Amino acid sequence: MNNVLKSIYAYSCFLLLLCLGVTGSTAFAQTDRGAYTGSNSIMVALEGPLSRYEYGSQQLLVRHNKNSQQLELILPVASLLPLNDSVPPAMAYHTLFGAKYPQLLINIHMPDQTLELVRAAASVQDYTASIQLQGVNNETRIPVAINRKENTIYFSTNFDLMLDNFQGSIPVEYLPLLTGRILISIENAQWVDLQTR
C-alpha cells in the first residue's frame, strides 16, 4: 500500500512540476523583451574641485524594450575601471554604493514611432530618462544622438547628474575630493534586434 501511495505522490509531483514548467515558459515568452547587446562603452567622471576622476567600462548592456517603449541601459558598477593611474581605483564603486546597488540603471523613453522616423543620419534631441542612482530614481531630460541601420540602433549621449537631486551622498573619505557632480558619456553604443535577423 505504501508503494502505491508513493507512486501516486511521485506522479502528482511530476504533474505539478510539468504544469509549472509549461506556465513558467509561457509567462517567460510573454515577458520576453528581447536580448541585451553587450560590450558597449561608457565613461563616468566624478567631478572634484580641481580635477575629474574618470572611469570607463566596456560592459554596458543595452536593449530596446518594446513593451515599455524604453531604451534600457544596465551598467555593472564593479566594471568601472580608472582611466589613469592617479585615480583612486575604488572611488567610483564606493561613491555609487556598488556594494548595495551593484547596477546603475538608465531607461530612456524611446517610442517605436520615434525609432521608425530615425534614418541613417544621426538626429539629436532631448529624451526623458529615468535614472536609478544610489537606489533612488530620478527623471531628467538628456540629449541623445541616435541613428538606425537595418536591425541596429546606434546612440550617443553626454549628460551630468548631481547627487543632491537623488538625495545621494558622498562617502566621508571622498568628501574633500568630490563636488557631487557625475558626468556620464556614452559614445556609439548599440543595440542589435536579433528578432529581426
Side-chain angles (χ1 to χ4, degrees):
M1 185 68 177
N2 281 342
N3 287 340
V4 172
L5 289 175
K6 286 180 182 176
S7 297
I8 292 171
Y9 177 77
Y11 184 70
S12 299
C13 288
F14 172 77
L15 286 177
L16 178 62
L17 289 173
L18 184 63
C19 290
L20 287 174
V22 169
T23 56
S25 62
T26 302
F28 178 79
Q30 290 173 346
T31 59
D32 182 18
R33 300 173 186 96
Y36 284 96
T37 300
S39 301
N40 290 296
S41 300
I42 185 171
M43 190 199 64
V44 175
L46 308 177
E47 185 184 70
L50 302 175
S51 63
R52 290 180 181 172
Y53 302 91
E54 297 181 339
Y55 297 81
S57 172
Q58 303 287 322
Q59 296 182 31
L60 179 67
L61 299 175
V62 177
R63 77 171 171 192
H64 184 256
N65 183 332
K66 294 181 184 299
N67 294 339
S68 65
Q69 304 284 285
Q70 292 183 336
L71 203 56
E72 299 177 343
L73 286 61
I74 298 178
L75 173 67
V77 173
S79 70
L80 287 168
L81 301 175
L83 296 182
N84 62 61
D85 294 339
S86 64
V87 175
M91 180 188 278
Y93 182 79
H94 292 149
T95 301
L96 297 174
F97 289 16
K100 189 171 183 181
Y101 307 106
Q103 298 173 330
L104 173 65
L105 306 174
I106 303 171
N107 293 327
I108 305 170
H109 184 63
M110 194 81 55
D112 283 339
Q113 305 91 294
T114 301
L115 293 176
E116 288 168 9
L117 296 173
V118 171
R119 300 290 177 244
S123 63
V124 183
Q125 66 182 69
D126 287 348
Y127 292 89
T128 301
S130 173
I131 301 164
Q132 187 178 90
L133 183 67
Q134 290 187 355
V136 177
N137 276 313
N138 201 349
E139 280 197 357
T140 187
R141 300 278 290 174
I142 64 172
V144 181
I146 186 165
N147 60 28
R148 186 176 187 174
K149 187 175 179 182
E150 296 176 353
N151 64 330
T152 304
I153 296 169
Y154 301 91
F155 71 97
S156 301
T157 182
N158 292 286
F159 61 95
D160 63 290
L161 308 168
M162 289 300 297
L163 284 174
D164 286 349
N165 295 338
F166 291 84
Q167 294 86 49
S169 59
I170 300 170
V172 174
E173 64 267 35
Y174 300 124
L175 277 173
L177 302 175
L178 300 176
T179 64
R181 184 172 178 234
I182 299 173
L183 299 97
I184 295 176
S185 178
I186 300 169
E187 297 297 332
N188 210 33
Q190 62 180 347
W191 176 69
V192 181
D193 187 358
L194 299 174
Q195 295 177 349
T196 63
R197 282 187 162 180

